Amino acid sequence: MTSLARPKPKIRPPRKGLAHDSNDVDFEEAWTIISSSLQEMHTKNASNLSFEKIFRHAYKIVLKKKGEVFYERLQKFETDWLSKDVRVRLATLLTPSLKNDGTVINGVATTANERRTNGEKFLRGLKESFEDHQLVMNMATDVFMYLVCIIPHQLLKPTDLNKEQDRVYCVDMKKPTVYTSAMILYRDHILRQPLVADASETLSMLNRIILEQIAMERDGDVIDTALIKSCINMLESLFESSHESEDEKLYLTSFEEGFLKASRQFYAEEGTRLLREADAAAYCRHTRKRIHEEISRCKTTLSDSTTPKITSVLEDELIKKRIQELIAMDSGVRYMIDNNRFGDLELVFELNSRIDDRKSELTQAIQRRVQEVGRQINDAAANLSTAQNQSAQADQNQEEGRPKVAVERAATQQTQAALQWVDAILQLKDKYDHLWQVSFRSDPIIQPALTKSFTESINVFPRSSEYVSLFIDENMKKGLKDKTEAEVDQVLEKAIVLLRYIQDKDMFERYYKKHLCKRLLMGKSVSVDVEKQMIQRMKIELGNSFTAKLEAMFKDMALSEELTASYRKKISQMSESKRTDLSLHVLTSMTWPLETMQSSSSSADGGEAKSKVIYPVSIERMKHSFENFYAERHSGRMLTWLPHMGTADIRAVFPKVSEKEGPLGKERRHELNVSTYAMFVLMLFNDVPEGGSLSFDEIHAKTNIDTNDLIRNLQSLAVAPKTRVLMKEPMSKDVKPTDRFFFNEKFTSGFLKIKVGVVAGANRVEGEKERRETEKKNNDSRAFAIEAAVVRIMKQRKELSHQQLTAETLAVLSSQFKPDVTMIKKRIESLIEREYLERVEGGTTASYRYLA
């Protein structure tokens, strides 16, 4: 398709005949015709005019070198027209309120509607006068083009160059064009002058009326935005000088400054009032609304160039000067967070982002709230732990040998408190993660601040490492049962998230090994695969060195299965027909936590060796058999048996009870799953005659089982109602050294297989004494880690100042724990004493040198 373009207009001089006759032109006659035509144009009676005739007269005047006179006459004509006609017509539109610049006339207040109507009438009249002036001057510019147009030199013959100077008078004389001079005249004789003697300058009046109309619109009134836009366009088309540079527009030099000043005052007052009367959310919504209104006003009513300036005014008055007070209000950020007002928080975030890329005020408020809630969670856990410890301590003052049921109950409650602490921290984390994503739009600056606050809240709590390990332990034993793969991954990820926040990861590792040990040895884990997944996640997060011993524990378990299978195969080839089936775990002493494998008495005594347990004859024979088998495969290794960590499956036969019907009237057989110590106790009753009994002291003498362990096992066998295989006299919930125990021939159960649990056999929160022991052992381990780090650093650097060595040591160990500077100093002193390092003498700062 061929497009039709309008041909570019060309300026052509009149025909030669017309130019030849130009010498006969009469200037006054020509001007009379031209001025008459201008009068007709201004009065809108130009339909009968011959513009070609006017054009010829103007052309002749220029050729006659009368351009200067013509230009001056034209200026005078327009001046007279504006002064005597336009100003008179505009003056009729003035009302007393417009002239006096007030809202009270003769003591009577004018209404907003009256002011709006009078203002619109004046603006409309001014707009029409300017548009009429523009129209006439555009027509005049076309007619008098030889006063203003430039004819390019390359289009003229050499003989015509002198003529060109006559034709481009305005350019040659460096005078404004006809149109430009007409706009200047309108500016000077209409806008820069009062319309009547007792009125202010028209331009000032115009600005005031527009500002008043805008103020009305801000108050909710409807105004004629198109009319105001026309007046703004007028101001944008007029300039302070004939150079017409962009920064000289009357809009910028006269109106905009006043508009911004009035707006600043308006919003300063409104901001103060809103903070006093409205809540924080309403303030934010109103501020956002005002910003959108002003942006829209600049597009539809004012100028786009004002948008960033008025936006800056609003941001200063409604946000920057108020944000701190806004956030601290009773209905501010804290209230919004506590009541899940995510939309309101997003408004606060949006407003704060406008004035501060770092959102400092909002970020600090969020950090304070995280720390406050974290402190509340920590205090609640600490208070509960203290109360339970006091209860347990009171119970310890009871008579010697009485089983500490209340103490065990307190320990269980402490474990539940630990799990509640972890749940509360996770809920807090989930809440702020959601808040960060929804309200703060996943802002990359707020996230590190949240991470820092969570890290401080978690690590200020001294038991955080232990509690997180207990949380994982509880889920590995019970919490993951019947969960889907996705739900399992979610729980594991939560555990890893908590682990990231913990600074003392070496303390966590110590507790995790202890809890994992019991899960593996007692078969408490829901899934070994999930256990391995957790180890793998830890390896990714913390590195191979952190999980090396944990992986070695699983390796020992696998090797133990192979060793047990080999032993069973060997036994099956022997001639003995009846043997006890043995399943055992052979553990590497350097890998497994020895303190976990000690009995309660040895732990209480600081880990001292306990007296040797007396095994039943059949069990002792089997024990020696395996020791011989193991010595054949691994010469030079010594086995240490830990019976308190094992379990046994035994078959129990309960005879029928004479003169009884039902279950008691016949023989009953059950398979009992008991601890190894419980098995030792029950096997003693094989040699007790019918109706006979054993006292507590007799059982202790024949087994040499630790007193506390024996009490717990007897409670499981003689006190627990569903597993009461033995009877106790006197019957009570407590076990005393004077009690006697009988085989319960009347025991019944609806199950063939019965599990007899040991009281307080599960992982639990450490007591204060245990806690101090754990911290001592951990500090000893840290001392070795610090010394190793210092030696590695000095071996590489050879010589360092004390400050540099301390800083590098902190950096190296930060992934494991946060070392105490005092401890680092002590370890350096120890290395100097052992001649790993030496002090550098004569230096200005304390320095050390490595000794190879």
Side-chain angles (χ1 to χ4, degrees), residues 87-350:
R87 282 173 58 186
V88 172
R89 281 189 282 113
L90 289 175
T92 61
L93 301 177
L94 293 179
T95 62
S97 62
L98 295 179
K99 289 191 293 182
N100 295 331
D101 190 16
T103 58
V104 179
I105 306 301
N106 296 327
V108 180
T110 59
T111 64
N113 186 56
E114 289 175 345
R115 296 196 305 276
R116 179 179 58 80
T117 303
N118 293 336
E120 287 180 352
K121 287 180 180 179
F122 179 77
L123 293 179
R124 190 171 291 107
L126 192 63
K127 161 187 171 289
E128 291 173 355
S129 71
F130 181 73
E131 289 178 349
D132 290 345
H133 189 64
Q134 275 187 313
L135 178 62
V136 172
M137 288 302 102
N138 277 320
M139 295 168 63
T141 299
D142 292 338
V143 172
F144 307 141
M145 65 176 63
Y146 269 85
L147 278 175
V148 296
C149 294
I150 299 176
I151 301 178
H153 286 191
Q154 62 268 26
L155 298 180
L156 298 176
K157 299 177 181 178
T159 55
D160 294 331
L161 288 177
N162 291 332
K163 297 179 181 180
E164 182 196 11
Q165 303 303 321
D166 295 328
R167 298 171 181 171
V168 291
Y169 168 77
C170 293
V171 175
D172 286 349
M173 297 295 106
K174 296 182 180 180
K175 291 183 177 291
T177 64
V178 172
Y179 182 84
T180 301
S181 64
M183 296 301 104
I184 292 174
L185 291 173
Y186 190 90
R187 178 198 69 194
D188 293 341
H189 292 278
I190 300 298
L191 299 182
R192 293 295 193 194
Q193 299 290 331
L195 297 178
V196 293
D198 57 344
S200 58
E201 184 183 281
T202 307
L203 182 58
S204 300
M205 192 183 306
L206 170 64
N207 292 339
R208 176 170 53 80
I209 293 173
I210 294 177
L211 292 178
E212 191 175 48
Q213 296 279 317
I214 292 173
M216 293 178 184
E217 186 179 38
R218 285 172 177 163
D219 290 337
D221 292 340
V222 178
I223 63 173
D224 192 339
T225 56
L227 176 59
I228 297 176
K229 181 65 174 177
S230 298
C231 295
I232 293 297
N233 289 339
M234 175 185 71
L235 293 178
E236 285 198 298
S237 64
L238 298 176
F239 299 84
E240 292 287 351
S241 71
S242 59
H243 297 297
E244 297 188 349
S245 59
E246 285 295 317
D247 58 349
E248 290 185 339
K249 289 180 177 180
L250 285 187
Y251 175 80
L252 299 177
T253 60
S254 174
F255 173 79
E256 189 180 66
E257 183 178 352
F259 169 71
L260 295 177
K261 182 179 179 181
S263 298
R264 186 176 296 278
Q265 181 179 354
F266 173 82
Y267 286 117
E269 295 172 356
E270 183 175 70
T272 302
R273 177 176 54 81
L274 282 174
L275 280 179
R276 185 174 59 251
E277 298 175 357
D279 59 26
Y283 183 95
C284 292
R285 286 192 292 270
H286 186 80
T287 299
R288 185 172 67 173
K289 175 187 173 185
R290 284 300 196 191
I291 291 173
H292 291 165
E293 285 177 354
E294 294 298 339
I295 292 174
S296 176
R297 182 173 293 114
C298 289
K299 290 181 179 178
T300 61
T301 309
L302 303 179
S303 171
D304 284 334
S305 63
T306 307
T307 301
K309 301 174 186 177
I310 188 61
T311 302
S312 178
V313 168
L314 272 95
E315 290 172 351
D316 285 344
E317 298 301 330
L318 294 182
I319 306 176
K320 191 172 184 179
K321 295 180 180 179
R322 317 284 179 181
I323 189 67
Q324 188 174 2
E325 187 177 356
L326 172 69
I327 289 174
M329 291 175 68
D330 292 340
S331 58
V333 169
R334 176 174 177 171
Y335 172 83
M336 295 175 184
I337 292 174
D338 294 347
N339 293 275
N340 298 327
R341 304 289 290 270
F342 299 120
D344 296 340
L345 282 167
E346 185 178 11
L347 284 177
V348 178
F349 170 80
E350 179 184 329

Side-chain angles (χ1 to χ4, degrees), residues 8 113 120 230 317 345 464 508 685 736 753:
K8 186 176 179 180
N113 186 56
E120 287 180 352
S230 298
E317 298 301 330
L345 282 167
S464 57
F508 170 82
F685 286 87
K736 302 177 182 178
K753 295 183 179 181

Side-chain angles (χ1 to χ4, degrees), residues 630-631 633-638:
Y630 188 79
R633 297 172 66 97
H634 304 283
S635 61
R637 294 186 183 179
M638 183 177 68

Side-chain angles (χ1 to χ4, degrees), residues 537-556:
R537 286 172 181 260
M538 290 183 182
K539 179 187 287 188
I540 295 173
E541 190 69 27
L542 304 173
N544 293 336
S545 60
F546 184 86
T547 59
K549 290 186 178 181
L550 300 178
E551 290 176 315
M553 293 169 70
F554 284 94
K555 184 177 180 181
D556 281 352

Side-chain angles (χ1 to χ4, degrees), residues 371-385:
Q371 291 167 355
E372 287 172 1
V373 177
R375 195 179 304 115
Q376 293 171 5
I377 294 172
N378 293 340
D379 290 345
N383 293 337
L384 183 59
S385 178

Side-chain angles (χ1 to χ4, degrees), residues 556-597:
D556 281 352
M557 297 295 289
L559 292 175
S560 296
E561 290 182 4
E562 296 176 4
L563 192 65
T564 300
S566 299
Y567 177 71
R568 286 176 176 174
K569 182 177 180 182
K570 180 180 179 180
I571 294 300
S572 65
Q573 296 172 354
M574 298 177 67
S575 58
E576 298 183 28
S577 58
K578 185 177 180 181
R579 280 193 172 274
T580 303
D581 191 11
L582 178 65
S583 176
L584 43 78
H585 302 299
V586 180
L587 312 176
T588 306
S589 59
M590 295 298 293
T591 299
W592 295 73
L594 293 178
E595 65 272 15
T596 303
M597 303 179 197

